[in-house]
Amino acid sequence: MPRKVTLGLIQADTEIGNVKANVEKGVKLIAAAAAKGAQVVILPELFTTGYNTSILGPRFIQLAENINGPSITAFAAAAKENGVYVMVGFVEERGVPGVVYNSAAFISPEGKVIDSYAKTHLWGGERIYFAKGNNFPIYQTEYGLFAPGICYDVGFPEVGRLYALKGAELMLVISAWRIEDADIWENNCIARATDNLFFVAGCNRVGYEDNLHLIGKSKVLAPRGHYVAQAPMDKEDILIATIDLDEIKEARRECLYMIDRRPELYGPLASL
């Protein structure tokens, strides 16, 4: 029996440093995505604050919240009101003053904050302001097993493979991907879906933050890397895509990557 789920990827601009306005916008967009049939709604990396580290810099500490803070509380209320899962990027504080994370909250349709994932691979100026995450969680939903990733994380084959071996069927990647690396955004999402024969949903920011051009082109990839849907470049959009997670079984019957692995040969990957 098909295990179908409808995704809503919010490809939106944000107002840098204006958390209140961004959260209000996000709450409205969650409702709009739900009205279009979305059951899982995804908002981009650092949606509550904006991304540009050159502009925000040390302000990330002042803008940080824990998972019970006002921003995630508002998104949890929106998830409950609309009966959808929500994944959204924010600056997270985890109890140590001055230490913050580039994180994603994952919220249930009942409005419960299930978890927060901290980005494990930091890019560029992020290394100055954020601490690295160290965990790769799997989220059990009534639709299937989901795995979180943030932007640069999707560029590392080890992340996707680890998730696949833990049973993930859909990798949710939130991003603030810049135009200079547009080709890599395409290639990484396709590669992770192909490598692991699972679905990848990449939700990217759009707009400008000073000289930082964020391109959009959010996308949903099927196992084997085929496109299910893609949003336009440089335009706000709500990308709606319905996927059938049972397609993974068929893909893995046809392509035997998971069976033909030779883990006894791969030890050097962890030491080199």
Side-chain angles (χ1 to χ4, degrees):
M1 184 172 181
R3 289 188 298 128
K4 293 185 177 181
V5 58
T6 300
L7 311 176
L9 279 62
I10 305 294
Q11 179 169 290
D13 198 359
T14 57
E15 186 176 337
I16 195 158
N18 192 340
V19 174
K20 183 175 184 293
N22 295 332
V23 171
E24 289 175 354
K25 180 175 183 175
V27 165
K28 291 177 182 177
L29 289 170
I30 290 169
K36 293 176 179 287
Q39 297 162 306
V40 178
V41 181
I42 309 149
L43 297 98
E45 180 179 15
L46 294 177
F47 182 83
T48 62
T49 60
Y51 176 85
N52 196 325
T53 57
S54 298
I55 298 173
L56 289 168
R59 287 187 63 199
F60 282 125
I61 293 174
Q62 283 73 49
L63 296 170
E65 304 177 20
N66 63 36
I67 57 171
N68 298 311
S71 296
I72 302 307
T73 297
F75 285 121
K80 183 176 182 179
E81 182 176 349
N82 293 283
V84 295
Y85 286 94
V86 170
M87 181 169 165
V88 58
F90 73 114
V91 183
E92 185 181 15
E93 182 270 321
R94 293 185 168 182
V96 179
V99 178
V100 300
Y101 298 83
N102 179 345
S103 291
F106 190 72
I107 305 166
S108 77
E110 294 73 39
K112 178 183 177 182
V113 182
I114 295 172
D115 188 39
S116 65
Y117 165 79
K119 190 173 185 177
T120 52
H121 298 81
L122 301 179
W123 182 86
E126 295 175 35
R127 301 183 188 101
I128 301 171
Y129 302 108
F130 296 112
K132 296 176 183 177
N134 294 303
N135 297 310
F136 294 101
I138 296 286
Y139 302 142
Q140 174 72 66
T141 75
E142 63 265 41
Y143 307 111
L145 295 172
F146 299 169
I150 301 179
C151 202
Y152 197 37
D153 290 335
V154 77
F156 293 83
E158 297 87 348
V159 174
R161 180 50 53 87
L162 179 60
Y163 276 142
L165 293 175
K166 293 175 77 172
E169 299 168 291
L170 168 64
M171 187 173 178
L172 304 173
V173 182
I174 63 172
S175 186
W177 207 280
R178 63 180 193 160
I179 193 168
E180 291 87 347
D181 299 317
D183 56 339
I184 302 178
W185 173 238
E186 303 286 340
N187 296 341
N188 283 345
C189 290
I190 293 170
R192 297 297 79 76
T194 305
D195 291 344
N196 301 295
L197 299 165
F198 62 17
F199 287 91
V200 173
C203 182
N204 194 30
R205 267 282 312 279
V206 68
Y208 289 83
E209 293 181 357
D210 194 17
N211 64 343
L212 180 62
H213 178 187
L214 304 170
I215 60 171
K217 299 190 75 174
S218 298
K219 59 187 87 271
V220 178
L221 283 303
R224 301 176 69 105
H226 301 160
Y227 274 82
V228 177
Q230 180 171 226
M233 181 173 173
D234 291 334
K235 182 180 178 182
E236 291 195 314
D237 192 31
I238 299 175
L239 182 66
I240 301 294
T242 299
I243 61 175
D244 181 357
L245 295 174
D246 278 343
E247 290 181 17
I248 295 170
K249 294 178 183 178
E250 181 61 29
R252 291 181 180 175
R253 276 195 291 265
E254 295 292 328
C255 186
L256 303 180
Y257 288 154
M258 306 308 285
I259 293 174
D260 290 338
R261 292 175 60 252
R262 297 285 307 281
E264 72 276 12
L265 303 180
Y266 307 151
L269 285 174
S271 59
L272 293 176

